[in-house]
Amino acid sequence: MDLLLNIFLFLIGLAAIVKGADWLTDGAASIARKFGIPTLVVGLTIVAMGSSAPELVVSVVSAIQGNVDIALGNVVGSNIFNTLAIMGVTAMVCPIVVERGNIRNDVPFAVLASVAVFITAFDSLFNGRLTNAAGTDTIMQQNIISRTDGLLLLCMFAIFMSYTMSIAKRGNGTSTAEEPTASDGKDTTEMPTWKCVVWIITGLAGLIIGGNWLVGGASGLASMMGISQSIIALTIVSAGTSAPELAASVMAARKGDTAMALGNVVGSNVFNVFFVLGTAATIHPLGIGGITLFDIATLLISSLTLWALCTFGKTHYMLTRAEGGILAVMAVIYYVVICL
């Protein structure tokens, strides 16, 4: 009975988060337009952040509750899933044409985000030896993403947003954020003000309540099944919170808008590290715990692989079906290894 209850909490929490993010984004975007805020700013802030709202809520709620493995594992797992599974499946559905602006402006930020996670998460690899009071050399072994690390990540997020908006205003390259339209193509410009307010409040409630349900259900499942919270976060939780990106990217590819498919993934990865992880670590320092060097290394390798395939692959500036298959196989190998 408890098993079914935890599964129900996880699923209903995930549904509440996804729908809550949708309502909040539409309501906020409509309100912003009513007050004359440029659509460019709406697209680069409200709409783009709305796509990462599930990851943000899960990681923040987990950090507040002290479930640091879920908080960190959700970000790491989501970015791995985005890069390997989503990009792999999307490219196999339709080859992705990569604009030069993506290679020059966007993808390097995703690689930088992965490097930032690697550096901030594994302090022991960089701290070397210290001399204690007794004059004995010791090696720093504590791996933790501190509040200072979190604030630095948030500063990098501010730089990323400033850079992205300047590029978008100049019209050079393709921004990582979605085009400034209402989410899912719905026209919310004529939405009455009272309805916008209701959608915003309902969306926030869905995010908060759904986040608590999802984290509680995931923690309960991990305890009952004898599986570590880190494995649950790296697989079920991360795949669940990344489901909107998967659906959006595949649909965009089917419609021939492959640039948006790549932009969704790259933008989400950058938001997840700089904003989501930065916010969670600022609220509560995140010890690495069950997240291993293999997980972080996979995150970094996946970003570098995507960049290399888009830049130096057989077909320059295009992610072919075969290259998408490579990413998908890497995803399968990763999940098999961590679940063994």
Side-chain angles (χ1 to χ4, degrees):
M1 190 66 176
D2 289 338
L3 177 62
L4 293 177
L5 177 60
N6 285 320
I7 294 175
F8 174 77
L9 283 175
F10 178 86
L11 294 177
I12 197 68
L14 177 61
I17 288 175
V18 173
K19 198 60 182 177
D22 186 29
W23 285 337
L24 175 63
T25 301
D26 286 347
S30 184
I31 284 286
R33 293 190 182 97
K34 286 178 182 294
F35 281 92
I37 297 176
T39 55
L40 172 65
V41 176
V42 174
L44 291 176
T45 55
I46 297 173
V47 177
M49 290 182 185
S51 66
S52 291
E55 288 87 349
L56 175 63
V57 171
V58 169
S59 290
V60 168
V61 170
S62 299
I64 293 174
Q65 296 180 357
N67 296 317
V68 294
D69 277 353
I70 294 181
L72 178 57
N74 176 48
V75 170
V76 173
S78 290
N79 281 19
I80 292 174
F81 186 84
N82 286 347
T83 305
L84 298 182
I86 293 181
M87 290 307 299
V89 171
T90 303
M92 287 190 292
V93 170
C94 180
I96 298 175
V97 178
V98 184
E99 297 185 12
R100 290 178 181 269
N102 290 124
I103 298 298
R104 184 177 63 252
N105 303 324
D106 300 338
V107 179
F109 265 108
V111 176
L112 176 62
S114 299
V115 173
V117 176
F118 184 85
I119 293 175
T120 57
F122 287 96
D123 304 292
S124 62
L125 295 178
F126 303 96
N127 285 333
R129 294 181 177 273
L130 295 177
T131 302
N132 59 24
T136 304
D137 285 346
T138 58
I139 299 178
M140 288 290 292
Q141 294 294 339
Q142 186 178 24
N143 291 318
I144 185 171
I145 301 179
S146 65
R147 284 192 173 93
T148 302
D149 293 331
L151 291 172
L152 287 174
L153 291 175
L154 289 176
C155 289
M156 294 176 72
F157 171 73
I159 295 172
F160 164 74
M161 285 300 298
S162 176
Y163 177 77
T164 300
M165 292 187 70
S166 67
I167 290 294
K169 287 179 180 178
R170 290 200 305 265
N172 294 329
T174 302
S175 169
T176 55
E178 296 176 21
E179 289 298 316
T181 57
S183 62
D184 298 330
K186 296 187 290 295
D187 184 5
T188 59
T189 55
E190 300 301 324
M191 189 186 299
T193 302
W194 68 266
K195 188 175 182 180
C196 295
V197 174
V198 169
W199 278 37
I200 291 173
I201 294 175
T202 305
L204 285 172
L207 287 171
I208 296 170
I209 297 172
N212 279 283
W213 285 345
L214 187 146
V215 173
S219 299
L221 286 172
S223 298
M224 294 191 65
M225 300 173 65
I227 302 174
S228 67
Q229 290 189 357
S230 59
I231 296 298
I232 291 289
L234 289 166
T235 54
I236 300 175
V237 175
S238 61
T241 56
S242 293
E245 283 91 345
L246 174 60
S249 295
V250 171
M251 289 304 297
R254 287 175 61 89
K255 294 177 181 179
D257 193 355
T258 55
M260 178 176 288
L262 178 64
N264 283 338
V265 167
V266 173
S268 178
N269 285 2
V270 175
F271 268 71
N272 287 346
V273 172
F274 291 156
F275 187 68
V276 175
L277 188 58
T279 301
T282 302
I283 293 173
H284 189 291
L286 305 177
I288 301 307
I291 307 301
T292 67
L293 180 60
F294 175 71
D295 301 314
I296 306 297
T298 301
L299 172 63
L300 180 56
I301 291 171
S302 64
S303 297
L304 289 171
T305 301
L306 176 62
W307 175 75
L309 289 176
C310 292
T311 308
F312 306 111
K314 184 177 180 180
T315 305
H316 293 323
Y317 304 113
M318 175 178 288
L319 196 64
T320 65
R321 285 189 171 90
E323 291 167 342
I326 292 174
L327 295 176
V329 169
M330 289 175 64
V332 172
I333 292 174
Y334 169 72
Y335 290 121
V336 168
V337 170
I338 66 172
C339 290
L340 288 178

